[in-house]
Amino acid sequence: MGNKQSQREVADSQVNTNILHDSPTRQGSDRELQAYISMRDQADKATEEWEKLNYDIHTLRYARREVRSRWRKILLQLGYQLEVDALLCVNRQSQFNRDQEHSNSSAELLKQLLEHTSLFPPGTGPQNRYLYIMDCLVSLDSAEDFVRLAKEKYPKK
């Protein structure tokens, strides 16, 4: 019980103290999603172009929900019932750990997830938000356990 309490305190402080500066967490599919939404908003409704853009937006959002759900399930298995939402909540103000070795470890573990699991549906790839979450998990000494569970639960097909 004491271990879960300390994990909770570290997770909460990690999330709260890292909401200070801008970081590159909104890239990749975030930009792609914004581009689709912008193009759809400019297209005439009830046209084939609008329908296709709307479908692409729906598909991208569904894939993102699926990835988030998979991460959530693993975090819950690791015992982060109370912290899961805080860990998954990444925005422009979220800040990466400045320690280079720490960052390299986070990037390497995320690369392992991409190469050895089906955590990210085909064609989506990892977003920087998941690099930030992995960075938090490295700080909490849970990142390797997360990767191990991801490999078990979502093996590469």
Side-chain angles (χ1 to χ4, degrees):
M1 178 81 178
N3 186 28
K4 287 199 186 293
Q5 179 63 28
S6 64
Q7 284 180 347
R8 209 172 293 136
E9 290 169 1
V10 173
D12 290 344
S13 69
Q14 182 74 337
V15 170
N16 291 334
T17 58
N18 285 338
I19 303 177
L20 299 175
H21 305 289
D22 278 349
S23 73
T25 56
R26 291 183 53 119
Q27 294 185 11
S29 69
D30 286 345
R31 286 188 189 151
E32 184 180 14
L33 180 60
Q34 284 307 116
Y36 283 142
I37 291 170
S38 178
M39 289 187 292
R40 182 191 63 184
D41 290 347
Q42 294 173 10
D44 291 332
K45 282 189 176 184
T47 64
E48 189 174 320
E49 177 188 14
W50 188 92
E51 293 284 334
K52 182 179 179 340
L53 290 167
N54 200 48
Y55 176 80
D56 291 342
I57 291 166
H58 172 76
T59 302
L60 189 54
R61 284 180 172 161
Y62 177 80
R64 294 172 90 194
R65 278 192 303 271
E66 183 65 26
V67 170
R68 182 180 170 90
S69 173
R70 291 174 183 182
W71 278 72
R72 179 182 199 79
K73 287 176 187 175
I74 295 170
L75 289 169
L76 290 171
Q77 266 190 289
L78 287 173
Y80 290 107
Q81 283 77 13
L82 299 175
E83 307 85 351
V84 70
D85 291 327
L87 286 167
L88 290 172
C89 181
V90 179
N91 58 36
R92 291 179 144 194
Q93 289 76 36
S94 300
Q95 180 182 354
F96 285 99
N97 189 325
R98 301 238 186 257
D99 179 8
Q100 187 63 37
E101 183 178 325
H102 195 273
S103 297
N104 289 342
S105 177
S106 301
E108 180 56 38
L109 290 168
L110 189 62
K111 183 179 174 190
Q112 284 183 34
L113 289 175
L114 186 60
E115 293 174 354
H116 302 291
T117 72
S118 61
L119 200 56
F120 297 97
T124 60
Q127 303 155 2
N128 279 349
R129 75 181 64 243
Y130 293 104
L131 180 58
Y132 171 78
I133 296 167
M134 187 58 66
D135 195 55
C136 290
L137 291 173
V138 167
S139 293
L140 296 168
D141 291 326
S142 296
E144 291 179 9
D145 291 334
F146 184 94
V147 171
R148 180 185 51 77
L149 283 173
K151 286 178 180 179
E152 290 173 13
K153 195 166 182 79
Y154 301 102
K156 193 78 161 185
K157 297 175 183 172

PDB file of all heavy atoms in Angstrom, residues 100-122:
ATOM      1  N   GLN A 100      19.492  14.193 -20.489  1.00  0.00           N
ATOM      2  CA  GLN A 100      19.691  13.576 -21.806  1.00  0.00           C
ATOM      3  C   GLN A 100      19.636  12.050 -21.729  1.00  0.00           C
ATOM      4  O   GLN A 100      19.018  11.411 -22.566  1.00  0.00           O
ATOM      5  CB  GLN A 100      21.033  14.031 -22.402  1.00  0.00           C
ATOM      6  CG  GLN A 100      21.243  13.580 -23.834  1.00  0.00           C
ATOM      7  CD  GLN A 100      20.215  14.166 -24.795  1.00  0.00           C
ATOM      8  OE1 GLN A 100      19.809  15.307 -24.657  1.00  0.00           O
ATOM      9  NE2 GLN A 100      19.795  13.393 -25.762  1.00  0.00           N
ATOM     10  N   GLU A 101      20.264  11.465 -20.715  1.00  0.00           N
ATOM     11  CA  GLU A 101      20.258  10.004 -20.573  1.00  0.00           C
ATOM     12  C   GLU A 101      18.831   9.515 -20.351  1.00  0.00           C
ATOM     13  O   GLU A 101      18.411   8.504 -20.901  1.00  0.00           O
ATOM     14  CB  GLU A 101      21.150   9.590 -19.403  1.00  0.00           C
ATOM     15  CG  GLU A 101      21.252   8.089 -19.234  1.00  0.00           C
ATOM     16  CD  GLU A 101      22.180   7.697 -18.097  1.00  0.00           C
ATOM     17  OE1 GLU A 101      23.185   8.392 -17.886  1.00  0.00           O
ATOM     18  OE2 GLU A 101      21.876   6.685 -17.446  1.00  0.00           O
ATOM     19  N   HIS A 102      18.098  10.250 -19.553  1.00  0.00           N
ATOM     20  CA  HIS A 102      16.692   9.946 -19.264  1.00  0.00           C
ATOM     21  C   HIS A 102      15.882   9.994 -20.559  1.00  0.00           C
ATOM     22  O   HIS A 102      15.093   9.101 -20.852  1.00  0.00           O
ATOM     23  CB  HIS A 102      16.191  10.984 -18.260  1.00  0.00           C
ATOM     24  CG  HIS A 102      14.915  10.649 -17.594  1.00  0.00           C
ATOM     25  ND1 HIS A 102      13.704  10.965 -18.128  1.00  0.00           N
ATOM     26  CD2 HIS A 102      14.658  10.029 -16.420  1.00  0.00           C
ATOM     27  CE1 HIS A 102      12.747  10.569 -17.317  1.00  0.00           C
ATOM     28  NE2 HIS A 102      13.296   9.997 -16.270  1.00  0.00           N
ATOM     29  N   SER A 103      16.077  11.041 -21.348  1.00  0.00           N
ATOM     30  CA  SER A 103      15.354  11.206 -22.615  1.00  0.00           C
ATOM     31  C   SER A 103      15.710  10.114 -23.609  1.00  0.00           C
ATOM     32  O   SER A 103      14.843   9.607 -24.317  1.00  0.00           O
ATOM     33  CB  SER A 103      15.652  12.573 -23.223  1.00  0.00           C
ATOM     34  OG  SER A 103      15.191  13.586 -22.368  1.00  0.00           O
ATOM     35  N   ASN A 104      16.983   9.760 -23.662  1.00  0.00           N
ATOM     36  CA  ASN A 104      17.416   8.693 -24.566  1.00  0.00           C
ATOM     37  C   ASN A 104      16.770   7.371 -24.180  1.00  0.00           C
ATOM     38  O   ASN A 104      16.354   6.604 -25.047  1.00  0.00           O
ATOM     39  CB  ASN A 104      18.939   8.558 -24.556  1.00  0.00           C
ATOM     40  CG  ASN A 104      19.633   9.723 -25.230  1.00  0.00           C
ATOM     41  OD1 ASN A 104      19.024  10.477 -25.984  1.00  0.00           O
ATOM     42  ND2 ASN A 104      20.912   9.885 -24.947  1.00  0.00           N
ATOM     43  N   SER A 105      16.689   7.109 -22.896  1.00  0.00           N
ATOM     44  CA  SER A 105      16.056   5.885 -22.416  1.00  0.00           C
ATOM     45  C   SER A 105      14.575   5.862 -22.804  1.00  0.00           C
ATOM     46  O   SER A 105      14.065   4.836 -23.275  1.00  0.00           O
ATOM     47  CB  SER A 105      16.212   5.792 -20.898  1.00  0.00           C
ATOM     48  OG  SER A 105      15.550   4.667 -20.401  1.00  0.00           O
ATOM     49  N   SER A 106      13.900   6.979 -22.636  1.00  0.00           N
ATOM     50  CA  SER A 106      12.480   7.075 -22.993  1.00  0.00           C
ATOM     51  C   SER A 106      12.274   6.823 -24.481  1.00  0.00           C
ATOM     52  O   SER A 106      11.381   6.073 -24.881  1.00  0.00           O
ATOM     53  CB  SER A 106      11.931   8.463 -22.645  1.00  0.00           C
ATOM     54  OG  SER A 106      12.081   8.728 -21.284  1.00  0.00           O
ATOM     55  N   ALA A 107      13.117   7.436 -25.302  1.00  0.00           N
ATOM     56  CA  ALA A 107      13.013   7.273 -26.756  1.00  0.00           C
ATOM     57  C   ALA A 107      13.292   5.828 -27.161  1.00  0.00           C
ATOM     58  O   ALA A 107      12.601   5.276 -28.031  1.00  0.00           O
ATOM     59  CB  ALA A 107      13.976   8.217 -27.458  1.00  0.00           C
ATOM     60  N   GLU A 108      14.267   5.198 -26.536  1.00  0.00           N
ATOM     61  CA  GLU A 108      14.603   3.811 -26.857  1.00  0.00           C
ATOM     62  C   GLU A 108      13.459   2.871 -26.474  1.00  0.00           C
ATOM     63  O   GLU A 108      13.112   1.966 -27.230  1.00  0.00           O
ATOM     64  CB  GLU A 108      15.896   3.400 -26.154  1.00  0.00           C
ATOM     65  CG  GLU A 108      16.320   1.979 -26.424  1.00  0.00           C
ATOM     66  CD  GLU A 108      16.493   1.633 -27.901  1.00  0.00           C
ATOM     67  OE1 GLU A 108      16.987   2.492 -28.664  1.00  0.00           O
ATOM     68  OE2 GLU A 108      16.132   0.503 -28.296  1.00  0.00           O
ATOM     69  N   LEU A 109      12.875   3.090 -25.319  1.00  0.00           N
ATOM     70  CA  LEU A 109      11.767   2.240 -24.889  1.00  0.00           C
ATOM     71  C   LEU A 109      10.541   2.429 -25.783  1.00  0.00           C
ATOM     72  O   LEU A 109       9.853   1.457 -26.113  1.00  0.00           O
ATOM     73  CB  LEU A 109      11.422   2.519 -23.422  1.00  0.00           C
ATOM     74  CG  LEU A 109      12.477   2.033 -22.426  1.00  0.00           C
ATOM     75  CD1 LEU A 109      12.207   2.599 -21.039  1.00  0.00           C
ATOM     76  CD2 LEU A 109      12.538   0.517 -22.383  1.00  0.00           C
ATOM     77  N   LEU A 110      10.275   3.651 -26.208  1.00  0.00           N
ATOM     78  CA  LEU A 110       9.163   3.891 -27.126  1.00  0.00           C
ATOM     79  C   LEU A 110       9.431   3.217 -28.468  1.00  0.00           C
ATOM     80  O   LEU A 110       8.522   2.639 -29.084  1.00  0.00           O
ATOM     81  CB  LEU A 110       8.920   5.389 -27.304  1.00  0.00           C
ATOM     82  CG  LEU A 110       7.654   5.759 -28.060  1.00  0.00           C
ATOM     83  CD1 LEU A 110       6.405   5.274 -27.312  1.00  0.00           C
ATOM     84  CD2 LEU A 110       7.574   7.263 -28.259  1.00  0.00           C
ATOM     85  N   LYS A 111      10.678   3.244 -28.910  1.00  0.00           N
ATOM     86  CA  LYS A 111      11.063   2.568 -30.154  1.00  0.00           C
ATOM     87  C   LYS A 111      10.820   1.064 -30.028  1.00  0.00           C
ATOM     88  O   LYS A 111      10.330   0.429 -30.965  1.00  0.00           O
ATOM     89  CB  LYS A 111      12.532   2.855 -30.460  1.00  0.00           C
ATOM     90  CG  LYS A 111      13.020   2.267 -31.749  1.00  0.00           C
ATOM     91  CD  LYS A 111      14.472   2.624 -31.993  1.00  0.00           C
ATOM     92  CE  LYS A 111      14.989   1.902 -33.216  1.00  0.00           C
ATOM     93  NZ  LYS A 111      16.442   2.041 -33.354  1.00  0.00           N
ATOM     94  N   GLN A 112      11.143   0.498 -28.868  1.00  0.00           N
ATOM     95  CA  GLN A 112      10.877  -0.929 -28.639  1.00  0.00           C
ATOM     96  C   GLN A 112       9.380  -1.225 -28.755  1.00  0.00           C
ATOM     97  O   GLN A 112       8.994  -2.253 -29.320  1.00  0.00           O
ATOM     98  CB  GLN A 112      11.367  -1.346 -27.254  1.00  0.00           C
ATOM     99  CG  GLN A 112      12.849  -1.513 -27.136  1.00  0.00           C
ATOM    100  CD  GLN A 112      13.234  -1.995 -25.752  1.00  0.00           C
ATOM    101  OE1 GLN A 112      12.504  -2.766 -25.115  1.00  0.00           O
ATOM    102  NE2 GLN A 112      14.382  -1.535 -25.275  1.00  0.00           N
ATOM    103  N   LEU A 113       8.557  -0.330 -28.202  1.00  0.00           N
ATOM    104  CA  LEU A 113       7.111  -0.524 -28.305  1.00  0.00           C
ATOM    105  C   LEU A 113       6.663  -0.545 -29.758  1.00  0.00           C
ATOM    106  O   LEU A 113       5.832  -1.355 -30.152  1.00  0.00           O
ATOM    107  CB  LEU A 113       6.365   0.579 -27.550  1.00  0.00           C
ATOM    108  CG  LEU A 113       6.428   0.538 -26.038  1.00  0.00           C
ATOM    109  CD1 LEU A 113       5.745   1.766 -25.448  1.00  0.00           C
ATOM    110  CD2 LEU A 113       5.799  -0.737 -25.499  1.00  0.00           C
ATOM    111  N   LEU A 114       7.222   0.355 -30.552  1.00  0.00           N
ATOM    112  CA  LEU A 114       6.844   0.442 -31.961  1.00  0.00           C
ATOM    113  C   LEU A 114       7.287  -0.804 -32.725  1.00  0.00           C
ATOM    114  O   LEU A 114       6.549  -1.331 -33.558  1.00  0.00           O
ATOM    115  CB  LEU A 114       7.450   1.697 -32.585  1.00  0.00           C
ATOM    116  CG  LEU A 114       7.039   2.006 -34.012  1.00  0.00           C
ATOM    117  CD1 LEU A 114       5.533   2.188 -34.112  1.00  0.00           C
ATOM    118  CD2 LEU A 114       7.750   3.244 -34.510  1.00  0.00           C
ATOM    119  N   GLU A 115       8.481  -1.288 -32.422  1.00  0.00           N
ATOM    120  CA  GLU A 115       9.041  -2.418 -33.161  1.00  0.00           C
ATOM    121  C   GLU A 115       8.517  -3.779 -32.712  1.00  0.00           C
ATOM    122  O   GLU A 115       8.424  -4.698 -33.507  1.00  0.00           O
ATOM    123  CB  GLU A 115      10.567  -2.409 -33.045  1.00  0.00           C
ATOM    124  CG  GLU A 115      11.212  -1.236 -33.746  1.00  0.00           C
ATOM    125  CD  GLU A 115      12.715  -1.144 -33.504  1.00  0.00           C
ATOM    126  OE1 GLU A 115      13.258  -1.933 -32.682  1.00  0.00           O
ATOM    127  OE2 GLU A 115      13.341  -0.271 -34.127  1.00  0.00           O
ATOM    128  N   HIS A 116       8.179  -3.915 -31.421  1.00  0.00           N
ATOM    129  CA  HIS A 116       7.869  -5.231 -30.880  1.00  0.00           C
ATOM    130  C   HIS A 116       6.445  -5.406 -30.383  1.00  0.00           C
ATOM    131  O   HIS A 116       6.116  -6.447 -29.807  1.00  0.00           O
ATOM    132  CB  HIS A 116       8.841  -5.569 -29.744  1.00  0.00           C
ATOM    133  CG  HIS A 116      10.283  -5.544 -30.155  1.00  0.00           C
ATOM    134  ND1 HIS A 116      10.830  -6.477 -31.004  1.00  0.00           N
ATOM    135  CD2 HIS A 116      11.277  -4.665 -29.862  1.00  0.00           C
ATOM    136  CE1 HIS A 116      12.103  -6.189 -31.202  1.00  0.00           C
ATOM    137  NE2 HIS A 116      12.402  -5.093 -30.526  1.00  0.00           N
ATOM    138  N   THR A 117       5.598  -4.398 -30.577  1.00  0.00           N
ATOM    139  CA  THR A 117       4.210  -4.521 -30.132  1.00  0.00           C
ATOM    140  C   THR A 117       3.270  -3.990 -31.216  1.00  0.00           C
ATOM    141  O   THR A 117       3.700  -3.334 -32.157  1.00  0.00           O
ATOM    142  CB  THR A 117       3.938  -3.717 -28.835  1.00  0.00           C
ATOM    143  OG1 THR A 117       3.924  -2.326 -29.125  1.00  0.00           O
ATOM    144  CG2 THR A 117       4.953  -4.021 -27.747  1.00  0.00           C
ATOM    145  N   SER A 118       1.997  -4.281 -31.025  1.00  0.00           N
ATOM    146  CA  SER A 118       0.972  -3.700 -31.893  1.00  0.00           C
ATOM    147  C   SER A 118       0.204  -2.635 -31.112  1.00  0.00           C
ATOM    148  O   SER A 118      -0.980  -2.401 -31.354  1.00  0.00           O
ATOM    149  CB  SER A 118       0.021  -4.795 -32.399  1.00  0.00           C
ATOM    150  OG  SER A 118      -0.625  -5.416 -31.308  1.00  0.00           O
ATOM    151  N   LEU A 119       0.896  -1.986 -30.175  1.00  0.00           N
ATOM    152  CA  LEU A 119       0.286  -0.949 -29.342  1.00  0.00           C
ATOM    153  C   LEU A 119      -0.238   0.205 -30.191  1.00  0.00           C
ATOM    154  O   LEU A 119      -1.268   0.791 -29.888  1.00  0.00           O
ATOM    155  CB  LEU A 119       1.322  -0.435 -28.339  1.00  0.00           C
ATOM    156  CG  LEU A 119       0.841   0.282 -27.110  1.00  0.00           C
ATOM    157  CD1 LEU A 119      -0.133  -0.559 -26.309  1.00  0.00           C
ATOM    158  CD2 LEU A 119       2.013   0.664 -26.227  1.00  0.00           C
ATOM    159  N   PHE A 120       0.484   0.518 -31.260  1.00  0.00           N
ATOM    160  CA  PHE A 120       0.057   1.567 -32.187  1.00  0.00           C
ATOM    161  C   PHE A 120      -0.482   0.883 -33.440  1.00  0.00           C
ATOM    162  O   PHE A 120       0.230   0.109 -34.073  1.00  0.00           O
ATOM    163  CB  PHE A 120       1.232   2.477 -32.553  1.00  0.00           C
ATOM    164  CG  PHE A 120       1.790   3.220 -31.381  1.00  0.00           C
ATOM    165  CD1 PHE A 120       2.905   2.753 -30.709  1.00  0.00           C
ATOM    166  CD2 PHE A 120       1.190   4.389 -30.935  1.00  0.00           C
ATOM    167  CE1 PHE A 120       3.418   3.433 -29.617  1.00  0.00           C
ATOM    168  CE2 PHE A 120       1.694   5.084 -29.850  1.00  0.00           C
ATOM    169  CZ  PHE A 120       2.816   4.595 -29.188  1.00  0.00           C
ATOM    170  N   PRO A 121      -1.750   1.143 -33.821  1.00  0.00           N
ATOM    171  CA  PRO A 121      -2.308   0.529 -35.027  1.00  0.00           C
ATOM    172  C   PRO A 121      -1.465   0.872 -36.254  1.00  0.00           C
ATOM    173  O   PRO A 121      -0.815   1.921 -36.290  1.00  0.00           O
ATOM    174  CB  PRO A 121      -3.698   1.153 -35.136  1.00  0.00           C
ATOM    175  CG  PRO A 121      -4.030   1.610 -33.764  1.00  0.00           C
ATOM    176  CD  PRO A 121      -2.728   1.994 -33.140  1.00  0.00           C
ATOM    177  N   PRO A 122      -1.470  -0.003 -37.254  1.00  0.00           N
ATOM    178  CA  PRO A 122      -0.684   0.254 -38.473  1.00  0.00           C
ATOM    179  C   PRO A 122      -1.007   1.630 -39.058  1.00  0.00           C
ATOM    180  O   PRO A 122      -2.162   2.032 -39.122  1.00  0.00           O
ATOM    181  CB  PRO A 122      -1.129  -0.854 -39.436  1.00  0.00           C
ATOM    182  CG  PRO A 122      -1.677  -1.922 -38.557  1.00  0.00           C
ATOM    183  CD  PRO A 122      -2.233  -1.231 -37.344  1.00  0.00           C
TER     184      PRO A 122
END
